[in-house]
Every structure is written in C-alpha cells, then in structure tokens.
Amino acid sequence: MKRLNWLFLGVLAVVVGCGSNTCPPGNGNNTCDVHCQVDSSRTDSTVDTNAPNPDAYKDMVNETFRDGQSAEVSGDTGPETINPGGFGAACKSNKECDSGYCIQTQEGFKCTKTCVTDCPVGWSCRTMMVGNDLVSICTPTGVTLCRPCKLDTDCDSGRCVKVEGKGYCGLDCGNGRTTCPQGYACVDAQSVVDGTQVKQCLPVTKSCTCNLTTNGKTRVCVKENDNGRCFGHETCDKDKGWVGCDAQEPGPEKCDGKDDNCNGITDEFPTDKPTKPCEKTVEGIGTCKGDWVCKDGGWQCTAATPQKEVCDGKDNNCDGKVDETWPELAKPCTVGTGECAATGVYVCKADGSGVQCNATPGEPSDEVCDGKDNNCDGKVDEAWPNLGKPCTVGTGEC
C-alpha cells in the first residue's frame, strides 16, 4: 500500500465525530468508521508549499476510532528534551518530523509520533485511515477548545455547544473520559446541533472570550427581558469571567423623566398612572375634577382650583352650572330714553362682578315739536306747554 505521509490540519480537526455517522459513547461497537471531507480552506500558510494539494485527498480520508484509544492517558509525561524532528519539535511540514507527521497543537505546529495506546498527558492515541494506511498517532487533546463553531465536526475532541448564547467547541468529559484542563470544568452543556445536554469541559468563567489575555478589557453588554433591551459595559475578570455589567434592568415605562425600557424615548405611554381621582376641593366653594398627565418627569393633575362664581362664561365653582348667579344673563334689555333708547341683551361685565346691557344709547338732538323726545330728557315737545290745549282763532261767526 502506498503510504501518504503528509497530514493536514483539516484532517485532524475532524478527528472527533464527522456528521451523523459518529459512534456515540458506549454504543458497544468496537469500531466506528467515519468518512470526513477535508476543507481546503483550513490549510496553514506555514505548511511546506511543496506538499501535495489537500484537495487531492478530499475523497481519500477515512478515520477509524477505537474505544479506549481516544481517551487521554496520564502515564507518559513526554520527553524532557525535544530534539529537532522529535516528538514536540516545531515543524512546518511533515518531512521535518522523524515520524512523518506534523500536526497543529495549541502552541502551533508540532511533530507527533505513532502510538499503540499510550501518549503523553494532554495527548490522545487516535487511529485513522490516511489514504489506504491505518495509522495511530498521538494528537493533542482539545486543539479547538473554545473556538467558535456551528457543527460538531468543527471540534476535534468534543461537541459544539452553547456558551454565552453562541456556539463554541467543548471537550468530551465524564464517564472516565479526558480530564479537563486547568481553568475548565466538566459541566452539562447544550448542543448547538440538536439541543441535547452533553458533558463537556468548559471554562469555569463560563466564557470563551474572557481569559488571561483579555483580563481587564471591557465590552458592550446587554440586559434584556419582556420590557426591552438595555446596553452597558462589563469587564473581563480572568477568574470570574465577564462581570459588572452596568446596563440597567429594562422595566415598564414610568413617568419619571427616564427611559425605563431603553427604547430611546422618555416617559412614552407610562404604566404608573395614579389610580386615585384627579380633583381639587376648596371648602365652601366646590370640587373640580380633571385628569392625570405626565409632564416634566411627574404626574400632574389638570383639575382647576374651585373659585367663587363670577360672570365669565365659566363654571368657576365646578357645580356643573355656568354663571348661575345671574339668571337675566342673555335676556333682552333697553338703555336710554326717548329717541336715544337702544335695545340689546344682558352680558357679563368685564370684571365679572355682574351683568350689563350691551346696548349703547343714541345721541340726543334739539327738541322739535314732532311728538318725540328728541333731546332724550324724558319729555316730549316740552318747549310747547300749550300743546294740546283748547284754542280759538277768528271773531264772530269766523
């Protein structure tokens, strides 16, 4: 059989579970054959440019996992001295490694070695088909731990699970599997793929974005509920994760001059309108009613203050009647005498103290003998006192 000695990052990144053919833990089968397609976009710029095109192997890569061979073994602590080309030595291509295998680790590309069952702490003995050859090599555990993901096949030794609402790679744990790295704990996590609960190693800080390198940095945070979404800032604590989100808790809008539900509008449709009646009372005068309005960050009653009734066309004492003290209001009236007389209706005085006729008397003129009171003095033709008295003219029969 022709041996293909060049491994790509794409091959190892899909060692754990490709598609729906992955054997679930404890299924009782001795062997689970999985066919994985290698994504050519996952090659690294540091890989030997003389290496074969990874696209040529897309249909040639088959991986075989064996129960017991994918678990971390703690017996071998690894070499104390790293020789060029030896296990753990830095590499750029397969030909630089004694074993013929240069793979990606958390610390960059390193030479690995073949194995039967045992590998150093932090490494797992994994068996896979490379071309037509069945090869068992030591691969680092959790290279993709805490990397963003969408599918389980994005993760080398675990599942794609939700962390802070987004998909990140975990590391299989529990039931005698790999122990979690420092700073991680074996917890129940929700699978992004099918929503099931799975045991995975995840950060004790409950965040894949807050660690030693981001300690002290800040980011935008949000608090959200049925009332709305409020934004603020929080700080990364390497031991606790993202803490101190100063976003306010969204609440129902109130009349308080604040944007309680964080929609950018203040005091719109407030929900805390007073339940007691809006009214003002003045003893001995009356009670006026109104409505509550939100103004200047507080509830204000629009009820008028009751006042003694005045003639102004208003219900000053709030008894439901207008200018009731003056019943003659709007009735006909006359002012002036004689030819100066004029008619109108009673209206309120300017000071509201009572009513007055809105007619204006005419101007008097010189008295003439015409049966009228021309000078408007209440007398008619008073300049002629003999008017209407008997009189005789002529003599005798004339």
Side-chain angles (χ1 to χ4, degrees), residues 19 49 55 68 91 93 132 149 156 161 203 238 240 290 311 325 340 347:
T49 56
D55 287 336
C91 58
S93 64
N132 295 319
C149 61
D156 68 347
V161 295
K238 63 181 178 62
K240 299 178 181 178
C311 190
T325 306
C340 296
V347 296

Side-chain angles (χ1 to χ4, degrees), residues 4 12-13 30 47 82 98 111 159 215 231 246 269 273 288 300 323 354 358 386 388:
L4 300 178
L12 294 178
N30 290 328
V47 176
I82 299 178
D98 296 340
C111 291
R159 303 281 296 277
N215 186 51
F231 294 91
D246 58 7
F269 307 113
K273 184 177 181 179
C288 295
Q300 297 183 17
D323 299 335
N358 65 353
N386 293 328

Side-chain angles (χ1 to χ4, degrees), residues 69-132:
Q69 289 188 328
S70 62
E72 181 180 2
V73 180
S74 60
D76 186 357
T77 59
E80 294 182 359
T81 302
I82 299 178
N83 298 315
F87 178 76
C91 58
K92 294 182 179 180
S93 64
N94 294 325
K95 65 183 180 181
E96 296 180 9
C97 302
D98 296 340
S99 63
Y101 303 113
C102 178
I103 64 174
Q104 186 183 18
T105 72
Q106 292 96 329
E107 299 174 351
F109 284 89
K110 304 283 185 180
C111 291
T112 186
K113 62 181 181 179
T114 58
C115 58
V116 178
T117 57
D118 292 349
C119 287
V121 173
W123 295 69
S124 302
C125 188
R126 300 174 186 269
T127 303
M128 64 192 70
M129 290 297 297
V130 180
N132 295 319

Side-chain angles (χ1 to χ4, degrees), residues 222-231 247-248 250 261-263:
V222 61
K223 291 183 181 179
E224 183 175 9
N225 56 35
D226 292 340
N227 296 306
R229 303 177 74 220
C230 296
F231 294 91
Q248 72 180 54
N261 56 8
C262 302
N263 68 346

Side-chain angles (χ1 to χ4, degrees), residues 363-384:
E363 291 293 329
S365 60
D366 293 338
E367 191 73 14
V368 295
C369 189
D370 59 0
K372 299 178 182 180
D373 183 11
N374 307 104
N375 58 7
C376 303
D377 63 354
K379 300 174 183 179
V380 176
D381 298 336
E382 68 275 15
W384 298 272

Side-chain angles (χ1 to χ4, degrees), residues 173-231:
C173 62
N175 299 324
R177 292 184 180 181
T178 304
T179 56
C180 295
Q182 184 178 0
Y184 291 76
C186 188
V187 297
D188 289 321
Q190 183 181 6
S191 168
V192 169
V193 178
D194 56 20
T196 58
Q197 293 292 311
V198 292
K199 288 287 187 182
Q200 296 286 289
C201 290
L202 293 176
V204 295
T205 61
K206 300 180 180 179
S207 171
C208 280
T209 58
C210 179
N211 48 49
L212 185 62
T213 59
T214 58
N215 186 51
K217 292 186 177 296
T218 61
R219 71 174 184 182
V220 174
C221 63
V222 61
K223 291 183 181 179
E224 183 175 9
N225 56 35
D226 292 340
N227 296 306
R229 303 177 74 220
C230 296
F231 294 91

